[in-house]
Amino acid sequence: QVQLVESGGGLVQAGGSLRLSCAASRRTISNYFMGWFRQAPGKEREFVASINWSGGNTYYTDSVKGRFTISRDNAKNTVYLQMNSLKSEDTAVYYCAARDGTRSEYHYWGQGTQVTVSS
């Protein structure tokens, strides 16, 4: 079982930056695909970004391309989401998730961290 704990959320002005971290424990995530998702009030949870086990392939939803960067440090068992040029529409609870290569859906989730962007 993988335990995921997000940190780094907070309140930031529009145009600012935040870096979210997702620290994994109980098991190494070096063989896991990792993703970030977010859920805004009154909306469904949506995909934000993902990264493969080596970090060589990354994917982003269109609304964050060019502003967000996902990365990972397998030695630290941690995944990051660097968020730049933040907009009010980025306000949401951000969740980290993991899945192994045998599954198409993420099956380990963190508790989430709140990101609030003030305009």
Side-chain angles (χ1 to χ4, degrees), residues 36-88:
W36 285 96
F37 293 75
R38 66 186 179 185
Q39 187 168 21
K43 295 186 177 181
E44 293 187 353
R45 186 168 60 194
E46 66 170 349
F47 168 80
V48 176
S50 66
I51 189 167
N52 72 335
W53 66 273
S54 69
N57 288 312
T58 57
Y59 306 91
Y60 300 91
T61 192
D62 286 346
S63 63
V64 308
K65 285 180 181 177
R67 299 189 298 121
F68 290 12
T69 303
I70 188 171
S71 62
R72 66 191 298 160
D73 185 337
N74 287 336
K76 294 183 178 180
N77 229 25
T78 301
V79 178
Y80 305 97
L81 185 67
Q82 177 66 44
M83 306 186 295
N84 298 328
S85 302
L86 283 161
K87 305 176 181 179
S88 57

